[in-house]
């Protein structure tokens, strides 16, 4: 079963076997696991460890391999891993951003990446900003070469989602 843009509210998802990345054994689930549980869709969820067994090659690829082989219908995967491993899968796979970007107002599905320097170190901040501005095109090229999907900043994506949601 192929699902287009992935919304946790899509009724087809309840009939699909869904792979979700899990982290650790401390009962701290990932946002997609919480989103599925909130909708009562836990029977069809299959957990895949984000880190996995490093005695084997590429343990994070297991969830992508499961989608490619048909073991699961849908994999909800962290974007950089999804992009990298899906681009290298033998079976053509499509990557779609999960919507909404913030489920139930508390479970983010998109994360901004940032850098920080000591608050008072304005000189270092200026250097970091200059390097990022200068190297921005090369950084973008490298991310694209690895298949890393680039989402709009969280604030922009959340605003678009809210604009589409009827009051």
């Amino acid at each position: 079963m192929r699902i287009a843009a992935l919304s946790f509210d899509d009724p087809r998802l309840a009939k699909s076997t869904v792979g979700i990345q899990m982290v650790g054994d401390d009962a701290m689930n990932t946002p997609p696991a919480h989103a599925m549980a909130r909708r009562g869709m836990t029977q069809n969820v299959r957990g895949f460890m984000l880190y996995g067994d490093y005695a084997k090659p590429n343990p994070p690829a297991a969830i992508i391999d499961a989608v490619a082989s048909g073991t699961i219908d849908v994999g909800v995967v962290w974007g950089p891993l999804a992009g990298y491993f899906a681009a290298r899968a033998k079976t053509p796979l499509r990557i779609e951003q999960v919507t909404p970007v913030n489920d139930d107002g508390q479970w983010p599905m998109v994360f901004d990446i940032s850098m920080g320097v000591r608050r008072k170190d304005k000189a270092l901040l200026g250097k970091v900003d200059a390097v990022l501005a200068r190297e921005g095109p090369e950084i973008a090229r490298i991310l694209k070469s690895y298949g890393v999907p680039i989402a709009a900043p969280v604030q922009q994506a959340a605003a678009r989602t809210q604009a589409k949601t009827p009051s």
Side-chain angles (χ1 to χ4, degrees), residues 25-61:
D25 58 0
D26 58 0
M28 294 304 298
N29 288 323
T30 57
H34 285 285
M36 294 291 287
R38 191 169 75 78
R39 290 164 175 80
M41 293 187 285
T42 57
Q43 296 298 340
N44 58 335
V45 170
R46 304 295 175 266
F48 289 80
M49 293 305 295
L50 180 60
Y51 304 111
D53 178 1
Y54 280 93
K56 299 176 183 173
N58 298 325

PDB file of all heavy atoms in Angstrom, residues 25-61:
ATOM      1  N   ASP A  25      15.832   1.961  25.672  1.00  0.00           N
ATOM      2  CA  ASP A  25      14.896   1.049  26.332  1.00  0.00           C
ATOM      3  C   ASP A  25      14.349   1.674  27.608  1.00  0.00           C
ATOM      4  O   ASP A  25      14.007   0.992  28.563  1.00  0.00           O
ATOM      5  CB  ASP A  25      15.581  -0.289  26.636  1.00  0.00           C
ATOM      6  CG  ASP A  25      16.817  -0.114  27.513  1.00  0.00           C
ATOM      7  OD1 ASP A  25      17.149   1.023  27.879  1.00  0.00           O
ATOM      8  OD2 ASP A  25      17.437  -1.142  27.827  1.00  0.00           O
ATOM      9  N   ASP A  26      14.254   2.998  27.621  1.00  0.00           N
ATOM     10  CA  ASP A  26      13.825   3.701  28.821  1.00  0.00           C
ATOM     11  C   ASP A  26      12.386   4.212  28.722  1.00  0.00           C
ATOM     12  O   ASP A  26      11.992   5.106  29.455  1.00  0.00           O
ATOM     13  CB  ASP A  26      14.770   4.861  29.122  1.00  0.00           C
ATOM     14  CG  ASP A  26      14.866   5.858  27.970  1.00  0.00           C
ATOM     15  OD1 ASP A  26      14.195   5.645  26.933  1.00  0.00           O
ATOM     16  OD2 ASP A  26      15.617   6.836  28.102  1.00  0.00           O
ATOM     17  N   ALA A  27      11.599   3.663  27.827  1.00  0.00           N
ATOM     18  CA  ALA A  27      10.190   4.012  27.630  1.00  0.00           C
ATOM     19  C   ALA A  27       9.992   5.437  27.127  1.00  0.00           C
ATOM     20  O   ALA A  27       8.895   5.964  27.172  1.00  0.00           O
ATOM     21  CB  ALA A  27       9.373   3.773  28.903  1.00  0.00           C
ATOM     22  N   MET A  28      11.028   6.074  26.656  1.00  0.00           N
ATOM     23  CA  MET A  28      10.901   7.409  26.070  1.00  0.00           C
ATOM     24  C   MET A  28      10.714   7.238  24.572  1.00  0.00           C
ATOM     25  O   MET A  28      11.668   6.994  23.849  1.00  0.00           O
ATOM     26  CB  MET A  28      12.144   8.249  26.371  1.00  0.00           C
ATOM     27  CG  MET A  28      12.320   8.577  27.839  1.00  0.00           C
ATOM     28  SD  MET A  28      10.907   9.428  28.582  1.00  0.00           S
ATOM     29  CE  MET A  28      10.837  10.917  27.648  1.00  0.00           C
ATOM     30  N   ASN A  29       9.488   7.304  24.136  1.00  0.00           N
ATOM     31  CA  ASN A  29       9.176   7.091  22.733  1.00  0.00           C
ATOM     32  C   ASN A  29       9.458   8.328  21.894  1.00  0.00           C
ATOM     33  O   ASN A  29       9.490   9.445  22.396  1.00  0.00           O
ATOM     34  CB  ASN A  29       7.713   6.688  22.571  1.00  0.00           C
ATOM     35  CG  ASN A  29       7.466   5.290  23.059  1.00  0.00           C
ATOM     36  OD1 ASN A  29       8.292   4.414  22.886  1.00  0.00           O
ATOM     37  ND2 ASN A  29       6.326   5.082  23.695  1.00  0.00           N
ATOM     38  N   THR A  30       9.604   8.107  20.603  1.00  0.00           N
ATOM     39  CA  THR A  30       9.812   9.190  19.658  1.00  0.00           C
ATOM     40  C   THR A  30       8.467   9.873  19.373  1.00  0.00           C
ATOM     41  O   THR A  30       7.405   9.285  19.588  1.00  0.00           O
ATOM     42  CB  THR A  30      10.413   8.648  18.350  1.00  0.00           C
ATOM     43  OG1 THR A  30       9.538   7.641  17.826  1.00  0.00           O
ATOM     44  CG2 THR A  30      11.804   8.057  18.586  1.00  0.00           C
ATOM     45  N   PRO A  31       8.478  11.107  18.861  1.00  0.00           N
ATOM     46  CA  PRO A  31       7.216  11.795  18.547  1.00  0.00           C
ATOM     47  C   PRO A  31       6.282  10.978  17.639  1.00  0.00           C
ATOM     48  O   PRO A  31       5.076  10.931  17.905  1.00  0.00           O
ATOM     49  CB  PRO A  31       7.672  13.103  17.898  1.00  0.00           C
ATOM     50  CG  PRO A  31       8.970  13.400  18.594  1.00  0.00           C
ATOM     51  CD  PRO A  31       9.629  12.032  18.725  1.00  0.00           C
ATOM     52  N   PRO A  32       6.772  10.293  16.583  1.00  0.00           N
ATOM     53  CA  PRO A  32       5.831   9.501  15.780  1.00  0.00           C
ATOM     54  C   PRO A  32       5.174   8.367  16.574  1.00  0.00           C
ATOM     55  O   PRO A  32       4.000   8.056  16.354  1.00  0.00           O
ATOM     56  CB  PRO A  32       6.705   8.936  14.659  1.00  0.00           C
ATOM     57  CG  PRO A  32       7.849   9.883  14.556  1.00  0.00           C
ATOM     58  CD  PRO A  32       8.100  10.360  15.953  1.00  0.00           C
ATOM     59  N   ALA A  33       5.894   7.770  17.520  1.00  0.00           N
ATOM     60  CA  ALA A  33       5.300   6.717  18.349  1.00  0.00           C
ATOM     61  C   ALA A  33       4.170   7.293  19.195  1.00  0.00           C
ATOM     62  O   ALA A  33       3.099   6.681  19.333  1.00  0.00           O
ATOM     63  CB  ALA A  33       6.364   6.066  19.231  1.00  0.00           C
ATOM     64  N   HIS A  34       4.377   8.473  19.748  1.00  0.00           N
ATOM     65  CA  HIS A  34       3.321   9.128  20.526  1.00  0.00           C
ATOM     66  C   HIS A  34       2.132   9.479  19.633  1.00  0.00           C
ATOM     67  O   HIS A  34       0.984   9.331  20.053  1.00  0.00           O
ATOM     68  CB  HIS A  34       3.862  10.386  21.203  1.00  0.00           C
ATOM     69  CG  HIS A  34       4.723  10.101  22.379  1.00  0.00           C
ATOM     70  ND1 HIS A  34       4.219   9.700  23.598  1.00  0.00           N
ATOM     71  CD2 HIS A  34       6.067  10.155  22.533  1.00  0.00           C
ATOM     72  CE1 HIS A  34       5.213   9.519  24.449  1.00  0.00           C
ATOM     73  NE2 HIS A  34       6.343   9.782  23.825  1.00  0.00           N
ATOM     74  N   ALA A  35       2.406   9.958  18.418  1.00  0.00           N
ATOM     75  CA  ALA A  35       1.324  10.320  17.497  1.00  0.00           C
ATOM     76  C   ALA A  35       0.466   9.104  17.155  1.00  0.00           C
ATOM     77  O   ALA A  35      -0.765   9.195  17.131  1.00  0.00           O
ATOM     78  CB  ALA A  35       1.901  10.952  16.231  1.00  0.00           C
ATOM     79  N   MET A  36       1.104   7.981  16.902  1.00  0.00           N
ATOM     80  CA  MET A  36       0.342   6.765  16.588  1.00  0.00           C
ATOM     81  C   MET A  36      -0.446   6.290  17.811  1.00  0.00           C
ATOM     82  O   MET A  36      -1.615   5.912  17.689  1.00  0.00           O
ATOM     83  CB  MET A  36       1.288   5.661  16.108  1.00  0.00           C
ATOM     84  CG  MET A  36       1.980   5.946  14.789  1.00  0.00           C
ATOM     85  SD  MET A  36       0.870   5.930  13.366  1.00  0.00           S
ATOM     86  CE  MET A  36       0.574   4.172  13.221  1.00  0.00           C
ATOM     87  N   ALA A  37       0.166   6.315  18.980  1.00  0.00           N
ATOM     88  CA  ALA A  37      -0.516   5.872  20.204  1.00  0.00           C
ATOM     89  C   ALA A  37      -1.709   6.772  20.518  1.00  0.00           C
ATOM     90  O   ALA A  37      -2.772   6.283  20.924  1.00  0.00           O
ATOM     91  CB  ALA A  37       0.468   5.864  21.369  1.00  0.00           C
ATOM     92  N   ARG A  38      -1.544   8.070  20.310  1.00  0.00           N
ATOM     93  CA  ARG A  38      -2.630   9.012  20.581  1.00  0.00           C
ATOM     94  C   ARG A  38      -3.855   8.708  19.731  1.00  0.00           C
ATOM     95  O   ARG A  38      -4.984   8.963  20.127  1.00  0.00           O
ATOM     96  CB  ARG A  38      -2.140  10.438  20.319  1.00  0.00           C
ATOM     97  CG  ARG A  38      -3.058  11.522  20.810  1.00  0.00           C
ATOM     98  CD  ARG A  38      -2.376  12.875  20.753  1.00  0.00           C
ATOM     99  NE  ARG A  38      -2.271  13.430  19.429  1.00  0.00           N
ATOM    100  CZ  ARG A  38      -3.253  14.020  18.779  1.00  0.00           C
ATOM    101  NH1 ARG A  38      -4.444  14.111  19.307  1.00  0.00           N
ATOM    102  NH2 ARG A  38      -3.059  14.525  17.579  1.00  0.00           N
ATOM    103  N   ARG A  39      -3.633   8.110  18.582  1.00  0.00           N
ATOM    104  CA  ARG A  39      -4.727   7.767  17.670  1.00  0.00           C
ATOM    105  C   ARG A  39      -5.184   6.321  17.836  1.00  0.00           C
ATOM    106  O   ARG A  39      -5.982   5.826  17.053  1.00  0.00           O
ATOM    107  CB  ARG A  39      -4.281   8.042  16.238  1.00  0.00           C
ATOM    108  CG  ARG A  39      -4.156   9.527  15.965  1.00  0.00           C
ATOM    109  CD  ARG A  39      -3.349   9.794  14.714  1.00  0.00           C
ATOM    110  NE  ARG A  39      -3.327  11.209  14.394  1.00  0.00           N
ATOM    111  CZ  ARG A  39      -2.532  12.108  14.981  1.00  0.00           C
ATOM    112  NH1 ARG A  39      -1.670  11.723  15.903  1.00  0.00           N
ATOM    113  NH2 ARG A  39      -2.581  13.380  14.644  1.00  0.00           N
ATOM    114  N   GLY A  40      -4.638   5.645  18.819  1.00  0.00           N
ATOM    115  CA  GLY A  40      -5.028   4.259  19.070  1.00  0.00           C
ATOM    116  C   GLY A  40      -4.493   3.284  18.037  1.00  0.00           C
ATOM    117  O   GLY A  40      -5.036   2.194  17.873  1.00  0.00           O
ATOM    118  N   MET A  41      -3.467   3.663  17.320  1.00  0.00           N
ATOM    119  CA  MET A  41      -2.912   2.802  16.273  1.00  0.00           C
ATOM    120  C   MET A  41      -1.575   2.222  16.736  1.00  0.00           C
ATOM    121  O   MET A  41      -0.519   2.598  16.261  1.00  0.00           O
ATOM    122  CB  MET A  41      -2.722   3.595  14.984  1.00  0.00           C
ATOM    123  CG  MET A  41      -4.019   4.045  14.361  1.00  0.00           C
ATOM    124  SD  MET A  41      -3.807   4.801  12.721  1.00  0.00           S
ATOM    125  CE  MET A  41      -3.148   6.401  13.137  1.00  0.00           C
ATOM    126  N   THR A  42      -1.651   1.299  17.686  1.00  0.00           N
ATOM    127  CA  THR A  42      -0.415   0.684  18.154  1.00  0.00           C
ATOM    128  C   THR A  42      -0.280  -0.764  17.700  1.00  0.00           C
ATOM    129  O   THR A  42       0.827  -1.286  17.648  1.00  0.00           O
ATOM    130  CB  THR A  42      -0.316   0.752  19.690  1.00  0.00           C
ATOM    131  OG1 THR A  42      -1.471   0.118  20.249  1.00  0.00           O
ATOM    132  CG2 THR A  42      -0.219   2.187  20.169  1.00  0.00           C
ATOM    133  N   GLN A  43      -1.375  -1.402  17.365  1.00  0.00           N
ATOM    134  CA  GLN A  43      -1.323  -2.813  16.964  1.00  0.00           C
ATOM    135  C   GLN A  43      -0.557  -3.017  15.663  1.00  0.00           C
ATOM    136  O   GLN A  43       0.030  -4.069  15.446  1.00  0.00           O
ATOM    137  CB  GLN A  43      -2.738  -3.391  16.826  1.00  0.00           C
ATOM    138  CG  GLN A  43      -3.506  -3.419  18.118  1.00  0.00           C
ATOM    139  CD  GLN A  43      -2.842  -4.294  19.175  1.00  0.00           C
ATOM    140  OE1 GLN A  43      -2.035  -5.160  18.886  1.00  0.00           O
ATOM    141  NE2 GLN A  43      -3.181  -4.050  20.428  1.00  0.00           N
ATOM    142  N   ASN A  44      -0.571  -2.017  14.794  1.00  0.00           N
ATOM    143  CA  ASN A  44       0.072  -2.160  13.491  1.00  0.00           C
ATOM    144  C   ASN A  44       1.459  -1.516  13.437  1.00  0.00           C
ATOM    145  O   ASN A  44       2.055  -1.413  12.379  1.00  0.00           O
ATOM    146  CB  ASN A  44      -0.819  -1.589  12.386  1.00  0.00           C
ATOM    147  CG  ASN A  44      -1.170  -0.128  12.609  1.00  0.00           C
ATOM    148  OD1 ASN A  44      -1.173   0.367  13.723  1.00  0.00           O
ATOM    149  ND2 ASN A  44      -1.490   0.565  11.527  1.00  0.00           N
ATOM    150  N   VAL A  45       1.972  -1.085  14.600  1.00  0.00           N
ATOM    151  CA  VAL A  45       3.284  -0.437  14.652  1.00  0.00           C
ATOM    152  C   VAL A  45       4.373  -1.471  14.899  1.00  0.00           C
ATOM    153  O   VAL A  45       4.213  -2.373  15.725  1.00  0.00           O
ATOM    154  CB  VAL A  45       3.316   0.647  15.756  1.00  0.00           C
ATOM    155  CG1 VAL A  45       4.727   1.167  15.988  1.00  0.00           C
ATOM    156  CG2 VAL A  45       2.392   1.796  15.392  1.00  0.00           C
ATOM    157  N   ARG A  46       5.459  -1.325  14.171  1.00  0.00           N
ATOM    158  CA  ARG A  46       6.650  -2.163  14.375  1.00  0.00           C
ATOM    159  C   ARG A  46       7.801  -1.231  14.716  1.00  0.00           C
ATOM    160  O   ARG A  46       8.073  -0.285  13.983  1.00  0.00           O
ATOM    161  CB  ARG A  46       7.004  -2.965  13.112  1.00  0.00           C
ATOM    162  CG  ARG A  46       5.893  -3.843  12.578  1.00  0.00           C
ATOM    163  CD  ARG A  46       5.536  -4.971  13.558  1.00  0.00           C
ATOM    164  NE  ARG A  46       4.399  -5.738  13.094  1.00  0.00           N
ATOM    165  CZ  ARG A  46       3.135  -5.520  13.447  1.00  0.00           C
ATOM    166  NH1 ARG A  46       2.834  -4.545  14.276  1.00  0.00           N
ATOM    167  NH2 ARG A  46       2.166  -6.265  12.988  1.00  0.00           N
ATOM    168  N   GLY A  47       8.458  -1.479  15.828  1.00  0.00           N
ATOM    169  CA  GLY A  47       9.553  -0.628  16.272  1.00  0.00           C
ATOM    170  C   GLY A  47      10.875  -1.016  15.634  1.00  0.00           C
ATOM    171  O   GLY A  47      11.177  -2.204  15.470  1.00  0.00           O
ATOM    172  N   PHE A  48      11.653  -0.020  15.274  1.00  0.00           N
ATOM    173  CA  PHE A  48      12.994  -0.202  14.728  1.00  0.00           C
ATOM    174  C   PHE A  48      13.923   0.698  15.529  1.00  0.00           C
ATOM    175  O   PHE A  48      13.691   1.906  15.605  1.00  0.00           O
ATOM    176  CB  PHE A  48      13.053   0.185  13.244  1.00  0.00           C
ATOM    177  CG  PHE A  48      12.351  -0.775  12.351  1.00  0.00           C
ATOM    178  CD1 PHE A  48      10.964  -0.728  12.203  1.00  0.00           C
ATOM    179  CD2 PHE A  48      13.060  -1.746  11.659  1.00  0.00           C
ATOM    180  CE1 PHE A  48      10.310  -1.616  11.386  1.00  0.00           C
ATOM    181  CE2 PHE A  48      12.411  -2.637  10.834  1.00  0.00           C
ATOM    182  CZ  PHE A  48      11.032  -2.582  10.699  1.00  0.00           C
ATOM    183  N   MET A  49      14.947   0.120  16.106  1.00  0.00           N
ATOM    184  CA  MET A  49      15.871   0.918  16.905  1.00  0.00           C
ATOM    185  C   MET A  49      16.630   1.891  16.006  1.00  0.00           C
ATOM    186  O   MET A  49      17.126   1.506  14.949  1.00  0.00           O
ATOM    187  CB  MET A  49      16.848   0.021  17.657  1.00  0.00           C
ATOM    188  CG  MET A  49      16.180  -0.820  18.734  1.00  0.00           C
ATOM    189  SD  MET A  49      15.231   0.167  19.930  1.00  0.00           S
ATOM    190  CE  MET A  49      16.530   1.093  20.705  1.00  0.00           C
ATOM    191  N   LEU A  50      16.696   3.118  16.445  1.00  0.00           N
ATOM    192  CA  LEU A  50      17.407   4.150  15.702  1.00  0.00           C
ATOM    193  C   LEU A  50      18.883   3.799  15.579  1.00  0.00           C
ATOM    194  O   LEU A  50      19.497   3.979  14.542  1.00  0.00           O
ATOM    195  CB  LEU A  50      17.236   5.498  16.394  1.00  0.00           C
ATOM    196  CG  LEU A  50      17.910   6.690  15.753  1.00  0.00           C
ATOM    197  CD1 LEU A  50      17.396   6.905  14.339  1.00  0.00           C
ATOM    198  CD2 LEU A  50      17.682   7.934  16.583  1.00  0.00           C
ATOM    199  N   TYR A  51      19.440   3.257  16.640  1.00  0.00           N
ATOM    200  CA  TYR A  51      20.870   2.955  16.641  1.00  0.00           C
ATOM    201  C   TYR A  51      21.153   1.534  16.185  1.00  0.00           C
ATOM    202  O   TYR A  51      22.004   1.306  15.361  1.00  0.00           O
ATOM    203  CB  TYR A  51      21.461   3.217  18.028  1.00  0.00           C
ATOM    204  CG  TYR A  51      21.203   4.626  18.466  1.00  0.00           C
ATOM    205  CD1 TYR A  51      20.339   4.910  19.508  1.00  0.00           C
ATOM    206  CD2 TYR A  51      21.791   5.690  17.791  1.00  0.00           C
ATOM    207  CE1 TYR A  51      20.085   6.211  19.890  1.00  0.00           C
ATOM    208  CE2 TYR A  51      21.533   7.001  18.160  1.00  0.00           C
ATOM    209  CZ  TYR A  51      20.686   7.247  19.214  1.00  0.00           C
ATOM    210  OH  TYR A  51      20.426   8.527  19.578  1.00  0.00           O
ATOM    211  N   GLY A  52      20.463   0.547  16.693  1.00  0.00           N
ATOM    212  CA  GLY A  52      20.570  -0.824  16.220  1.00  0.00           C
ATOM    213  C   GLY A  52      21.827  -1.553  16.650  1.00  0.00           C
ATOM    214  O   GLY A  52      22.597  -1.110  17.482  1.00  0.00           O
ATOM    215  N   ASP A  53      22.025  -2.693  16.031  1.00  0.00           N
ATOM    216  CA  ASP A  53      23.137  -3.588  16.326  1.00  0.00           C
ATOM    217  C   ASP A  53      24.304  -3.231  15.419  1.00  0.00           C
ATOM    218  O   ASP A  53      24.306  -3.549  14.231  1.00  0.00           O
ATOM    219  CB  ASP A  53      22.692  -5.033  16.094  1.00  0.00           C
ATOM    220  CG  ASP A  53      23.795  -6.044  16.329  1.00  0.00           C
ATOM    221  OD1 ASP A  53      24.927  -5.642  16.697  1.00  0.00           O
ATOM    222  OD2 ASP A  53      23.527  -7.243  16.152  1.00  0.00           O
ATOM    223  N   TYR A  54      25.316  -2.580  15.983  1.00  0.00           N
ATOM    224  CA  TYR A  54      26.439  -2.128  15.169  1.00  0.00           C
ATOM    225  C   TYR A  54      27.418  -3.246  14.830  1.00  0.00           C
ATOM    226  O   TYR A  54      28.439  -2.997  14.201  1.00  0.00           O
ATOM    227  CB  TYR A  54      27.136  -0.928  15.811  1.00  0.00           C
ATOM    228  CG  TYR A  54      26.363   0.332  15.534  1.00  0.00           C
ATOM    229  CD1 TYR A  54      25.413   0.809  16.424  1.00  0.00           C
ATOM    230  CD2 TYR A  54      26.537   1.012  14.332  1.00  0.00           C
ATOM    231  CE1 TYR A  54      24.675   1.948  16.137  1.00  0.00           C
ATOM    232  CE2 TYR A  54      25.804   2.148  14.040  1.00  0.00           C
ATOM    233  CZ  TYR A  54      24.881   2.607  14.944  1.00  0.00           C
ATOM    234  OH  TYR A  54      24.148   3.727  14.648  1.00  0.00           O
ATOM    235  N   ALA A  55      27.088  -4.484  15.196  1.00  0.00           N
ATOM    236  CA  ALA A  55      27.868  -5.624  14.711  1.00  0.00           C
ATOM    237  C   ALA A  55      27.499  -5.887  13.251  1.00  0.00           C
ATOM    238  O   ALA A  55      28.208  -6.583  12.541  1.00  0.00           O
ATOM    239  CB  ALA A  55      27.595  -6.858  15.563  1.00  0.00           C
ATOM    240  N   LYS A  56      26.370  -5.311  12.837  1.00  0.00           N
ATOM    241  CA  LYS A  56      25.900  -5.441  11.449  1.00  0.00           C
ATOM    242  C   LYS A  56      26.112  -4.110  10.735  1.00  0.00           C
ATOM    243  O   LYS A  56      26.095  -3.053  11.360  1.00  0.00           O
ATOM    244  CB  LYS A  56      24.419  -5.811  11.437  1.00  0.00           C
ATOM    245  CG  LYS A  56      24.129  -7.130  12.113  1.00  0.00           C
ATOM    246  CD  LYS A  56      22.649  -7.395  12.156  1.00  0.00           C
ATOM    247  CE  LYS A  56      22.381  -8.696  12.903  1.00  0.00           C
ATOM    248  NZ  LYS A  56      20.961  -8.909  13.110  1.00  0.00           N
ATOM    249  N   PRO A  57      26.274  -4.142   9.409  1.00  0.00           N
ATOM    250  CA  PRO A  57      26.458  -2.874   8.685  1.00  0.00           C
ATOM    251  C   PRO A  57      25.171  -2.047   8.640  1.00  0.00           C
ATOM    252  O   PRO A  57      24.086  -2.585   8.465  1.00  0.00           O
ATOM    253  CB  PRO A  57      26.877  -3.317   7.279  1.00  0.00           C
ATOM    254  CG  PRO A  57      26.429  -4.727   7.161  1.00  0.00           C
ATOM    255  CD  PRO A  57      26.378  -5.299   8.552  1.00  0.00           C
ATOM    256  N   ASN A  58      25.315  -0.745   8.811  1.00  0.00           N
ATOM    257  CA  ASN A  58      24.222   0.215   8.660  1.00  0.00           C
ATOM    258  C   ASN A  58      22.954  -0.136   9.436  1.00  0.00           C
ATOM    259  O   ASN A  58      21.872  -0.227   8.849  1.00  0.00           O
ATOM    260  CB  ASN A  58      23.880   0.391   7.181  1.00  0.00           C
ATOM    261  CG  ASN A  58      25.028   0.946   6.390  1.00  0.00           C
ATOM    262  OD1 ASN A  58      25.789   1.767   6.880  1.00  0.00           O
ATOM    263  ND2 ASN A  58      25.176   0.490   5.170  1.00  0.00           N
ATOM    264  N   PRO A  59      23.010  -0.302  10.744  1.00  0.00           N
ATOM    265  CA  PRO A  59      21.796  -0.671  11.488  1.00  0.00           C
ATOM    266  C   PRO A  59      20.622   0.288  11.307  1.00  0.00           C
ATOM    267  O   PRO A  59      19.476  -0.166  11.267  1.00  0.00           O
ATOM    268  CB  PRO A  59      22.254  -0.750  12.943  1.00  0.00           C
ATOM    269  CG  PRO A  59      23.619  -0.229  12.987  1.00  0.00           C
ATOM    270  CD  PRO A  59      24.174  -0.182  11.605  1.00  0.00           C
ATOM    271  N   PRO A  60      20.831   1.610  11.141  1.00  0.00           N
ATOM    272  CA  PRO A  60      19.665   2.471  10.951  1.00  0.00           C
ATOM    273  C   PRO A  60      18.929   2.218   9.635  1.00  0.00           C
ATOM    274  O   PRO A  60      17.801   2.657   9.461  1.00  0.00           O
ATOM    275  CB  PRO A  60      20.239   3.893  10.973  1.00  0.00           C
ATOM    276  CG  PRO A  60      21.561   3.780  11.641  1.00  0.00           C
ATOM    277  CD  PRO A  60      22.060   2.406  11.298  1.00  0.00           C
ATOM    278  N   ALA A  61      19.557   1.499   8.702  1.00  0.00           N
ATOM    279  CA  ALA A  61      18.909   1.222   7.417  1.00  0.00           C
ATOM    280  C   ALA A  61      17.835   0.150   7.515  1.00  0.00           C
ATOM    281  O   ALA A  61      17.064  -0.036   6.570  1.00  0.00           O
ATOM    282  CB  ALA A  61      19.963   0.796   6.385  1.00  0.00           C
TER     283      ALA A  61
END
